[in-house]
Amino acid sequence: MTDHALIKRLPELSDRDFSIWQELLEERLGLQLPEQRRSFLKTSLAIRMRELGYDNYLDYYRYVRKGDAGLIEWNMLIDRVTVQETRFYRDPAAFTLARDFLHKRARENQRPLALWSVGCSTGEEAYSLAMLTLEELRRDGANPQRRFGVTGTDVSLQALEAARRGSYSSRRVENMDKRLVERYFDTDGLGYAVKFEVRDRVCFTRLNVLELSRSPMKDLDLIYCQNVLIYFRKWRRKEIVSELARRLAPGGLLILGLGEVVDWKLPELTRVPGERVLAYLKRK
Ligand SMILES: C[S@@+](CC[C@H](N)C(=O)[O-])C[C@H]1O[C@@H](n2cnc3c(N)ncnc32)[C@H](O)[C@@H]1O
């Protein structure tokens, strides 16, 4: 049966069903699902319910909430209900700012640089940060073997699995600078695998941004968090960003997505001037 035929056969997602699913997604992930995303939720649930043999949303909801089996199912479902779109060097203005910052930071500071991609999805952002740092150290004539590390975190186990594989289709790299592709990927003409030199600098681990207070991440030189908070309520965004800011080392840089946080200030942070990037420096 095609997905279209399947969705037609499933009962409507009633207001009540929609609202219990909305609450679950917000409680566990922070995601706020507005009315416009109702059909997206219905389709995502419907496809998964069909795979498991459920024919109503409430029974499936109860299953997901219950016990270890429910937890395993929930982890599978996260992948279906979150937006994981990403690209290498997705936001050029933000990467330019990151590059200039790292250039200065590497000169000022001899300790290893620590970078963090929050909500890294399938890894492109974290690998881009690693390539950017390697390029910067090279350009600067600094020792490219100088130590630095990028941590990529996400709540989706499947996305993290793909990130750790570090293999991408040619479509995923087609808009990248060709020199970078040649330098940092192995290819058999069809797929592109991130080279060891880059992978060696990056690690991926699971972290729900609602549980940041439990994470050991600290003393970061650069925190990069884009296109994650847009799905959250404003008060939650501010809370998460404050928590991220706390994890910056003095002089560290926090880069967010444009417009993702407004009316937000912390005494220890200074907004980096510029309209194309939303970024803050932590006072030294
Ligand atoms: C649109 S992608 C953004 C990827 C990358 N940051 C970029 O800008 O290209 C959003 C990512 O946020 C992750 N995400 C959603 N809710 C999350 C949460 N509560 N904790 C951690 N990651 C979350 C999703 O799994 C997804 O991979």
Side-chain angles (χ1 to χ4, degrees):
M1 194 185 313
T2 64
D3 286 351
H4 185 67
L6 148 71
I7 290 151
K8 270 180 86 176
R9 270 193 41 178
L10 272 164
E12 267 312 299
L13 184 66
S14 69
D15 288 349
R16 177 167 169 260
D17 289 342
F18 183 45
S19 117
I20 57 173
W21 277 102
Q22 272 178 314
E23 273 168 32
L24 186 66
L25 294 182
E26 186 154 4
E27 173 198 317
R28 292 192 177 180
L29 295 174
L31 299 184
Q32 204 196 351
L33 226 64
E35 181 60 37
Q36 306 89 281
R37 306 270 294 156
R38 188 175 180 134
S39 70
F40 160 79
L41 180 66
K42 179 181 165 182
T43 312
S44 312
L45 294 176
I47 292 170
R48 184 62 189 151
M49 279 160 56
R50 178 77 194 177
E51 286 166 10
L52 295 175
Y54 280 94
D55 61 5
N56 85 73
Y57 301 96
L58 187 58
D59 286 349
Y60 178 52
Y61 171 85
R62 287 187 176 130
Y63 174 61
V64 167
R65 289 213 75 130
K66 208 168 153 203
D68 289 350
L71 204 57
I72 293 169
E73 179 56 23
W74 168 248
N75 284 328
M76 157 73 84
L77 193 60
I78 288 176
D79 202 46
R80 311 273 180 114
V81 294
T82 50
V83 177
Q84 298 186 341
E85 186 194 332
T86 187
R87 287 193 297 284
F88 286 104
Y89 293 89
R90 181 173 188 175
D91 177 351
F95 275 100
T96 302
L97 178 69
R99 189 196 62 201
D100 295 346
F101 168 78
L102 291 168
H103 178 79
K104 234 172 121 229
R105 189 81 172 163
R107 290 176 164 221
E108 286 171 3
N109 206 326
Q110 284 312 305
R111 73 180 176 88
L113 294 167
L115 289 71
W116 183 9
S117 160
V118 182
C120 63
S121 187
T122 42
E124 287 87 334
E125 189 174 273
Y127 289 128
S128 300
L129 288 170
M131 290 186 272
L132 186 86
T133 312
L134 282 167
E135 283 294 288
E136 203 38 53
L137 294 176
R138 243 189 205 118
R139 187 170 74 96
D140 202 28
N143 177 6
Q145 294 314 312
R146 185 189 153 152
R147 294 186 65 77
F148 73 89
V150 182
T151 305
T153 61
D154 201 283
V155 72
S156 162
L157 292 174
Q158 286 93 325
L160 290 168
E161 221 176 283
R164 285 188 194 106
R165 272 198 302 277
S167 291
Y168 300 91
S169 68
S170 52
R171 202 173 51 79
R172 308 295 300 168
V173 300
E174 72 190 1
N175 291 320
M176 269 182 74
D177 180 335
K178 298 285 170 282
R179 272 180 323 112
L180 292 180
V181 177
E182 261 173 43
R183 189 172 280 168
Y184 295 117
F185 289 83
D186 290 317
T187 181
D188 57 6
L190 295 169
Y192 288 77
V194 179
K195 281 191 178 167
F196 179 75
E197 182 189 4
V198 182
R199 294 167 70 110
D200 193 35
R201 307 295 182 139
V202 185
C203 73
F204 293 100
T205 187
R206 187 179 204 201
L207 180 63
N208 185 336
V209 291
L210 300 191
E211 294 164 5
L212 281 177
S213 60
R214 288 201 233 150
S215 120
M217 301 292 287
K218 62 174 190 177
D219 290 334
L220 276 300
D221 293 291
L222 174 63
I223 301 181
Y224 202 101
C225 177
Q226 288 197 327
N227 305 302
V228 181
L229 303 175
I230 36 173
Y231 308 103
F232 292 17
R233 287 188 198 273
K234 285 197 181 120
W235 65 265
R236 213 191 276 281
R237 297 182 198 190
K238 289 180 190 170
E239 221 173 78
I240 292 169
V241 174
S242 304
E243 192 64 56
L244 291 176
R246 242 169 264 143
R247 278 133 211 291
L248 278 176
L253 180 68
L254 170 65
I255 297 184
L256 304 171
L258 258 192
E260 287 186 334
V261 175
V262 281
D263 305 330
W264 176 84
K265 274 196 188 120
L266 279 187
E268 65 268 36
L269 294 189
T270 316
R271 169 94 202 255
V272 177
E275 286 174 3
R276 295 167 61 217
V277 184
L278 179 60
Y280 299 85
L281 273 172
K282 184 149 172 177
R283 299 222 169 90
K284 290 190 180 167

